[in-house]
Amino acid sequence: MLSLVRRALKPFVLRYVHARNERLRRKLLAEGRQLTPAHWGLETRNGDLWWAGCRLRDLATQYGTPLHVVNEERLVANYRAFLAAFQAEHAGVELGFSYKTNPLPGALAILHDAGAIAEVISHFELWLALQLGMPGERIVFNGPGKSIESLHLAVERGVRIINIDNIHEADTLQAAARKAGRTQDVGVRVVTSVGWAAQFGIPLAGGAARAAFDRLRACDHLRPRGLHIHLGTGIKDVSVYVQAVRELFAFARQLQEATGVVIDFFDLGGGFGVPTVAPLTEMDERLLTAGYPAAPINPEDTPRPATYARAIGQLVREWYPTGQGPTLFFEPGRAISSSAQLLLLRIRALKPGPNGTVRVILDGGHNLAIPTSYEQHQIWPVTGMEREFDTKHHFYGPLCHPGDVLARECPMPRFEKEEVVAMMDAGAYFIPNQMNFSNPRPPAVVV
C-alpha cells in the first residue's frame, strides 16, 4: 500500500519541484544572476563567441574538433586570486596545483611559471613534475597507493614532504632515506569527523593517527612535521573546512604536548567548489527522467576563495595568537583550472525527440567528458548567440553506448548540422578521465 501511495504522489512531487525550480530560474534571469558567457570571460561579437582574443569557430576550423582550449590569462588569474585571498589572511600560505585535476603538460607549465608547487599522487605524476623541471623542494607527494619505486624516487629527488596514507609507507620511506643518506620530511594524511574517509588516510579518532606519529618518530631518517587532509570535491560549505581545520589544530597541539613533535606544515587539500558547475542531485536525475530540466545553476551558491580564507584565517589567529603560525599549503585543482578550459564539439547529427525536443549527436561524448555524468556543465553555441534559446535539446556523444549522454533538457537555439558548441569548465577532471573509446584523444591549444 505504501509503495502505491508513493507512486501516486511522485508526479505531483516532481511537478512541484519543477515549478519551484522554474520560479528560481525566472528570478535569476530577472535579477541578472543567471549564467552568461561573461562568467568565463567569453565575449560575444556579432553573435560569435571569443575567448582571449580568439574566435572559437576559427579555432574549430583551424585545429578541428573535438578540441580543448586553455585560456592562459584566466588560468594564471585564477591561481593568483586564490593565493592572494588566503595570503591576505595568513602570510604563511603556499599554493600548489593538483596534477590529478588536469595533467595537461602545457597547462601545468603555465601554472608552475606563475609559482605553483606540484602536488602529485602517483609515480606517473611525480615523473611528469620532474620532466617539467620541478625541483624536489617544489613537489608535495600525496596519495593512498604510492608504489615502492615512487617513494624511493621521491626521497632521492628530495621532495618537499611526503604525506603517508598508511603506516606501511613509513618502513619503505625509512629504507629509502637511509639508502639516500638523508632525512626526509613526512606528514600523515588524517581523517577528521567531516569529509572523505573510507580508504583514505588514518583516523584522528581512536588513537590511530597518534600511533602513526609514534612509528614515524622511531625512524631516524624521517622527520615528522606535517598533517594532511583532503575533504572531497566541489565543496561549497565553508563550515566543513572550519570543522576539519579546528580538529587538525587541536590534534597538533596535543601531539606537541605529548611527544614534542611540532607540526608546522598543514596540507589542507583542495576540493573547493566553483560557481559555474553544480552536482547532479538525486532529485535532478528524477526530474530529467520525467522530462523536466535539472535545477538551475546559481553562481551565488558558491562561496568565493576570500570567504573560505577569512574563516580559516580566523582559526589560525585563534590557535596561533603570537603570529608565528604554521605553513598552510593548499592544493586546489578545480578552483584554478576548471573555468580556464573549454571543450569544442561539433554537431554531427540532429534528430527529433519527444515533446518537440531535439536530440543532438556531437563528435565527443563520455570518452572526453565523464564529469557530465555527475555534474552540470554549461554548453554554449559558438555562433548565432543572438538567436532565441527556445527549444529544448538533449546532447549525446558519438559512442555506441546508451549511457553516452552529456546533457538533457537544455534550452538552445535551433541548430544546423556541423555547428560547433563549447562545453564549459573542461579544465577539471576531463583530461585525466578521458579514454580511447573508438576514437583518438583530442588535441589542446592555449589562447
Side-chain angles (χ1 to χ4, degrees), residues 274-306:
V274 295
T276 49
V277 174
L280 282 169
T281 66
E282 183 178 351
M283 180 56 72
D284 287 331
E285 292 290 353
R286 292 179 178 179
L287 287 167
L288 290 166
T289 300
Y292 299 118
I297 298 175
N298 183 356
E300 296 181 10
D301 284 344
T302 304
R304 299 305 187 259

Side-chain angles (χ1 to χ4, degrees), residues 143-145 164-166 189-192 195-203 230:
I164 70 168
D165 190 83
N166 59 77
R189 176 170 179 174
V190 296
V191 178
T192 65
W196 284 350
Q199 75 270 35
F200 302 111
I202 300 174
H230 186 76

Side-chain angles (χ1 to χ4, degrees), residues 99-111:
Y99 270 40
K100 64 181 174 290
T101 306
N102 189 5
L104 192 61
L108 294 174
I110 290 169
L111 287 168

